[in-house]
């Protein structure tokens, strides 16, 4: 009963923060975009997410990959040791990222926030959806709708959803993200 109560409070707090957020400026050059990328925990989905991430054409330091959990199950050699882990100790009693965690990922602010975690949680909604990112993307979940500018539904597969997401992102004019 207490968990349901704190989940509701966490969701409300994340939603309020999302509604009060003030988006930062969008860079003119999509190759200079700073990207906050929340990665899935499931290893199969994580590998697919990395294939997608490695096609993003920004300097290595401009891509901030994050995993919620205890450890990183997989990362490509180029990102070995470069994935941030948000552990349960980094969450407050409402299961939202602590102020210290939020400041670490929002300073400097990301231009684009991509949440590939599933299922949706208030923690990922807060970190990506309430961020000052100019453009926010997430996987479809009814509860996630108020947090993102665009939601992608994994229809046939997670890989298929990521291909659709890439196609959508490439179709935006002016571009928000550059791909190789």
């Amino acid at each position: 009963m207490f968990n349901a109560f704190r989940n509701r409070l966490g969701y409300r707090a994340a939603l309020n923060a999302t509604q009060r957020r003030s988006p930062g400026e969008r860079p003119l050059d999509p190759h200079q975009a700073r990207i906050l990328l929340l990665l899935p925990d499931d290893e199969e989905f994580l590998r697919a997410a990395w294939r997608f991430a490695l096609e993003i054409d920004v300097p290595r330091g401009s891509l901030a990959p994050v995993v919620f959990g205890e450890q990183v199950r997989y990362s490509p050699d180029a990102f070995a040791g470069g994935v941030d882990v948000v552990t349960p100790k980094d969450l407050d009693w409402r299961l939202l990222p602590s102020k210290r965690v939020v400041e670490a990922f929002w300073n400097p602010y990301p231009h684009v926030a991509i949440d590939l975690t599933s299922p949706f949680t208030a923690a990922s909604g807060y970190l990506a959806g309430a961020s000052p990112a100019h453009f926010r993307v997430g996987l479809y979940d009814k509860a996630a709708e108020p947090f993102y500018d665009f939601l992608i539904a994994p229809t046939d597969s997670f890989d298929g959803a990521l291909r659709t997401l890439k196609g959508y992102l490439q179709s935006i004019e002016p571009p928000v993200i550059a791909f190789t």
Side-chain angles (χ1 to χ4, degrees), residues 59-169:
R60 164 115 169 34
S62 294
L63 182 64
V66 180
V67 172
F68 284 92
E70 294 291 340
Q71 64 183 7
V72 179
R73 296 185 191 277
Y74 167 78
S75 72
D77 290 343
F79 284 89
V83 180
D84 289 297
V85 179
V86 177
T87 69
K89 293 177 185 173
D90 296 320
L91 304 177
D92 68 16
W93 68 274
R94 301 165 300 175
L95 303 176
L96 296 179
S98 69
K99 184 177 180 179
R100 176 188 56 77
V101 169
V102 169
E103 287 174 357
F105 293 115
W106 292 1
N107 189 15
Y109 69 86
H111 298 111
V112 178
I114 302 173
D115 178 4
L116 299 179
T117 63
S118 183
F120 173 80
T121 64
S124 64
Y126 187 84
L127 193 57
S131 77
H134 182 76
F135 190 74
R136 302 154 305 147
V137 179
L139 296 178
Y140 180 78
D141 185 306
K142 181 100 174 118
E145 287 180 357
F147 293 88
Y148 301 107
D149 301 304
F150 180 73
L151 292 167
I152 188 75
T155 50
D156 61 339
S157 69
F158 191 70
D159 277 319
L162 294 177
R163 281 191 302 277
T164 300
L165 175 59
K166 180 181 176 186
Y168 172 75
L169 290 170

Side-chain angles (χ1 to χ4, degrees), residues 15-53:
L15 186 57
N16 287 338
T18 300
Q19 292 168 341
R20 290 188 324 266
R21 79 185 194 94
S22 47
E25 292 295 316
R26 176 177 168 171
L28 295 176
D29 181 357
H31 296 277
Q32 299 304 313
R34 290 185 302 272
I35 300 166
L36 175 63
L37 178 65
L38 306 186
L39 295 164
D41 189 44
D42 177 87
E43 189 171 342
E44 178 185 345
F45 293 167
L46 181 58
R47 288 179 181 273
W50 275 116
R51 286 189 294 275
F52 169 81

